[in-house]
Each structure stands twice: as C-alpha cells, then as structure tokens.
Amino acid sequence: MKPNTSLVTEEITLNMGPQHPSTHGVYRAVLTLDGEKVVGVENVIGYLHRGIEKLAEDRTYTQFIPYTDRLDYLAAMLNNLGYVQAVEKLMGIEVPERAEYLRIIMAELSRIASHYVMLASMALDLSGWTAWFIPFRDRERILDLFEMVCGSRLTLSYMRIGGVAADIPPEFVPALKSFLAELPRGLEEFNGLITNNEIFKARCQGVGRIDLETALAYGITGPNLRACGLPFDLRKVKPYGIYDRFDFEVPVRHNGDTYDRFVIRVLEIEQSARIIEQALRDLPEGPIMAKVPRVIKPPQGEVYHQIEGAKGILGFYVVSDGSSKPYRIHIHSPSFVNLGAFPVMAKGGTIQDAVATLASIDIVLGEVDR
C-alpha cells in the first residue's frame, strides 16, 4: 500500500496590526490560525500610552478639560461632559438651564458624529469605498456646527465646570435645523448602499457573535451590549443632567453579531436627532455659566460619575485633597473594556471575519491606551 500522504497542518501565528487599517494604528492582535480559521486571539496594547490620568495630578481641574478631548477624540464633547459633571457633583454646583440644554445638543451631536465615523470606517474595512464618503460628508456638517461654537472641529474643550465656554452664535440654530432636516435622507442613502446590501449582510450576519450573558460577564456596555438584546442606556435607566426630560427610545437588536452592532448605530443616530430636536425646541434663554470660584478647589473627598458615551459607559473617578489640582483621576473607558471581548468574538471565524468583528466593536485607541 502507498503511504498516507495527506496534508498535515499546524497552527501559525499572525500579527494583525499595528499597521493594519482595522487596528486604528496602534493596536496589535496576535492571531493563532489553523489555515484561515482563528483559533485564538491575544490583544496587545501599549503603543499609544499617554499617561493622561497621571498628567491630571499636575494640572488644575480646568486645565484637565482639554485632555479629556484626547480620550475618545471622535466624541470629545461627551468626554468633556462626563468630566465636568463629575467635578460639579463633587462641588455641588447647579448648572444653569440654558447650559444644560446646550450640553445635551452638543453631546448628542457628538454621539452622531462618532457613529458616523464607525459606519464609514466599518464599510471601508469591508472594502466599501464609496460608502465611506456618505457618513463623512454628513459628519462635516456637525464639525461645522462645533466650529461655530468653539472654533475647533475635533478636540473641542467646550464644556466648563459650571456650564459651557460660550453661547451659540445666531447662525447656529438655522444651520442645526437644516442638518436635522436632511439627516434622514443621508441615512436612507447610506442604508440603501450598505446596510441593506446583500454582500455586506453576508459578510456580517452571524459573524463575531456574542451572547448577552457573555457580554455582561466581560463588562460590555453601550451599543455593543444593546446589540445583544439588553436595552440598557444610562440616559434612560439612570438619567444625568436633564436627560429625563426627553422622549426617546433605546434601540436594541438581538443577535449580538457584527451586523447588529452596525445597525444599532444607525438606529441610535435617529434617536439622538430626536433628542436634539426636543432640546432645540425647549432651549431657554438665560446664563450659560454658574457662579463658580475663579480657582476651582473642590472639598476634600471623592466622586464617581458616569455617562452614556458614544461607545459605552464612560466614567470618571475623581479624588480631591482640597487643592486646585486633582489628587487622583481614574477613567473608565468603554473602548478598553469592550476590546477585552474581541478574542471571544473572533474565535472560530476566519481572518476576514476578525477584521469585520473588530470594526464592529468601534474602538478608539485614545481611550484604550489612555
């Protein structure tokens, strides 16, 4: 008899990143492969470590605000909001009504802008070159609005302890109304091109699945958790600021796969626009800043405050020793937590599935390697 000449395979290790576009530049996934099949994943971070939490100890409370922009730099307003509200809670500051409404408008615009980048980037990661331009086209209009109020388009530093840095200019409201009026048409165009595309669905449906129990065990929050079927949103279950005044829904999907994580962002953009419309309708006149000391010195103590960020629960733990600088700040970053479940999601799929799965988690390395 002839000897058995069947092919014997052995596992290989492949570095995905940090040069791969899907790894956002400074993250490496070490894939263990059996042919095209992923049998293991190791997350490797640390290429971007900035020491932001340590830098806070040598900055005043106000000086630290711009550093929060550099965490999730795609949703800077939300980072601003979480931090200043934590300090306000520590000091017992009551924010003026007009400032509260302006904060809601800016925070939800920031959420929409962040989701636009996720949708565009995931489409591009799956070779959807044309689809990349639609969300970025519409996001530019949000950045125009941000530029009107604070002069910046990415790192914004608009929130202040006690209110906001400046009132909106006269041209802001008409521009915002125009954007909201045309937003549905942009989403319809994108859905027709990508979301409902049968090739895109084939690449994403059933890929990178994670069940609700496992998602909770890994501490996943935000859109990635709601894609598993749990309608948990801090704006609803534990409202902060004035979110309890607004009527909106918490979108959920139930498959916990790459496609549902994508679609959930589309649905959340619609709800954020709904919140902004109500805030704009009810926007009161009045001051935009509370009366706060010229030098911020919270009383000795500690506080933890969390908000619903664009990528999940964003928390700030602030410790004060009574001086003008924080004794300690720790940031609970949703991207860091959500990334921890990537090995579970990617295992069992192919290399191509791993790329799509990572894109659907929507991480930003600014808050992974904070």
Side-chain angles (χ1 to χ4, degrees), residues 105-183:
I105 291 172
M106 302 306 167
E108 294 307 314
L109 283 173
S110 197
R111 192 183 314 278
I112 294 173
S114 176
H115 285 351
Y116 273 151
V117 174
M118 183 273 181
L119 298 176
S121 299
M122 184 170 166
L124 185 63
D125 286 347
L126 273 64
S127 300
W129 290 92
T130 304
W132 161 274
F133 292 100
I134 297 173
F136 265 81
R137 175 200 65 194
D138 296 342
R139 175 175 172 265
E140 281 297 302
R141 299 186 64 180
I142 297 178
L143 302 189
D144 290 341
L145 292 167
F146 287 158
E147 190 173 10
M148 288 181 195
V149 297
C150 64
S152 298
R153 301 176 69 84
L154 188 69
T155 50
L156 306 166
S157 303
Y158 177 66
M159 309 292 179
R160 292 292 182 270
I161 299 167
V164 294
D167 209 338
I168 52 176
E171 64 270 21
F172 181 86
V173 172
L176 177 56
K177 287 182 176 179
S178 174
F179 167 72
L180 292 174
E182 296 175 24
L183 182 146

Side-chain angles (χ1 to χ4, degrees), residues 56-78:
E57 299 173 18
D58 198 38
R59 304 292 186 275
T60 67
Y61 284 90
T62 301
Q63 286 174 340
F64 186 64
I65 295 173
Y67 287 85
T68 66
D69 298 348
R70 275 76 177 172
L71 295 167
D72 181 359
Y73 43 81
L74 301 175
M77 289 287 193
L78 287 164

